[in-house]
Amino acid sequence: MSLQGKTLFITGASRGIGLAIGLRAARDGANVAIAAKTDTPHPKLEGTIHTAAQAIERAGGQALPMVVDVRDEDAVRDALDQTAKKFGGIDIVVNNASAISLTNTAKTEMKRYDLMHQINARGTFVVSKHAIPHLEKADNPHILMLSPPLDMAEKWFAPHLAYTMAKFGMSLCVLGLSGELRAKGIAVNALWPRTTIATAAVKNLLGGDALMQASRTPEIMADAAHALFLKPSRETTGRFLIDDSFLAEQGVTDFSKYRVTAGVPLAPDFFVPDASEPPPGALD
């Protein structure tokens, strides 16, 4: 089974998990629309929409790099239309673009609050909203949010209320849209990592090189997303998936290849419910 000839529209795909998902699909021969803000190199962040497009094409796919701010409804609508026109439709939408600030309420500036909610919750809503007419025409349409299970525990909200609300806003879109679009056969799911993932956000904002060494690579998320996109959309929707547990469902037993550094204990990510047990040996 393969994503050959399928078209993916991925927000925030110039680097990190979004790019990894695009590269995994590109190895099948998929088309990947890279909808992100980084048009020119950033001093602290690797990758632009152009370097991502080159990587997609080297991997075997076709790429469409576009400067898109998901806060701009017209830009989102135009980018989706451009993608459908170039590739003949859209099969998969990945809402990956996200903003983070791990500040408590007193220290959260309202402009940062607005940014997180505009990108995370509103951006996910607007991208999904304008993708629906395209996905209705697809054979096996999927929408994926890179967002956590809706585990309403105080410990997730108290330390960084604004960020948690914004990320859970993405997950609420999963809850609502999966029901709204079920009759249309459009799958809507969430995917979240059990451990921290080695991305620029982890290095620059969370824990530096030490946390990077205690993380898994973005490829675990890419492999989980790929497996999900091969599932029949009418049979797999409304799920809040944890990367290693979902891969274990697909028969994966060796998770060692996803470690950044062998032997370093893995750091847990935010928002993983206490009841979510890792697959046997996955964290060893």
Side-chain angles (χ1 to χ4, degrees):
M1 297 182 67
S2 165
L3 295 179
Q4 184 174 8
K6 298 290 187 179
T7 296
L8 290 77
F9 183 95
I10 307 176
T11 66
S14 57
R15 63 181 65 90
I17 293 171
L19 177 57
I21 291 173
L23 288 171
R24 180 63 187 88
R27 297 211 306 270
D28 283 358
N31 311 310
V32 181
I34 301 158
K37 289 176 61 180
T38 310
D39 183 42
T40 56
H42 188 283
K44 293 185 178 180
L45 299 173
E46 292 185 5
T48 67
I49 59 171
H50 307 294
T51 59
Q54 292 167 0
I56 293 293
E57 291 173 353
R58 285 197 301 269
Q62 294 189 70
L64 176 60
M66 295 176 289
V67 176
V68 179
D69 184 338
V70 297
R71 294 173 293 177
D72 184 335
E73 182 179 9
D74 289 339
V76 166
R77 185 191 297 109
D78 290 346
L80 287 161
D81 289 346
Q82 287 182 50
T83 302
K85 182 177 181 180
K86 180 174 177 63
F87 297 123
I90 298 174
D91 301 281
I92 297 162
V93 168
V94 181
N95 285 294
N96 168 70
S98 189
I100 180 172
S101 180
L102 300 179
T103 49
N104 64 24
T105 300
K107 293 182 179 179
T108 300
E109 297 179 359
M110 289 314 298
K111 65 178 183 180
R112 180 61 58 176
Y113 176 99
D114 291 342
L115 178 70
M116 288 190 286
H117 282 260
Q118 287 165 1
I119 292 176
N120 301 2
R122 185 181 185 276
T124 293
F125 185 93
V126 74
V127 170
S128 302
K129 167 185 170 68
H130 290 296
I132 291 171
H134 300 290
L135 294 170
E136 286 176 333
K137 303 172 186 176
D139 292 332
N140 192 42
H142 284 264
I143 300 175
L144 178 64
M145 282 43 144
L146 276 296
S147 65
L150 286 169
D151 183 32
M152 295 295 177
E154 179 185 286
K155 66 178 180 177
W156 304 133
F157 290 83
H160 34 71
L161 176 58
Y163 173 63
T164 302
M165 289 171 65
K167 289 304 291 188
F168 275 44
M170 297 175 71
S171 297
L172 287 170
C173 287
V174 175
L175 185 64
L177 285 173
S178 60
E180 181 179 345
L181 301 179
R182 184 173 286 111
K184 296 178 182 293
I186 300 174
V188 187
N189 295 285
L191 178 64
W192 194 249
R194 184 177 302 281
T195 72
T196 54
I197 300 294
T199 63
V202 166
K203 182 175 182 179
N204 296 334
L205 300 175
L206 301 183
D209 289 333
L211 190 55
M212 291 285 279
Q213 299 304 314
S215 298
R216 284 170 167 164
T217 66
E219 282 67 36
I220 189 170
M221 293 289 282
D223 286 350
H226 181 268
L228 175 64
F229 299 149
L230 295 177
K231 298 287 185 184
S233 60
R234 290 187 177 274
E235 299 175 13
T236 307
T237 191
R239 296 192 65 185
F240 292 88
L241 305 169
I242 301 296
D243 54 0
D244 57 6
S245 292
F246 182 63
L247 285 171
E249 288 182 25
Q250 315 315 309
V252 175
T253 56
D254 182 7
F255 295 91
S256 61
K257 66 179 180 179
Y258 299 119
R259 283 177 176 263
V260 171
T261 304
V264 176
L266 291 166
D269 202 2
F270 307 112
F271 306 134
V272 178
D274 293 339
S276 175
E277 293 289 337
L283 302 181
D284 295 344

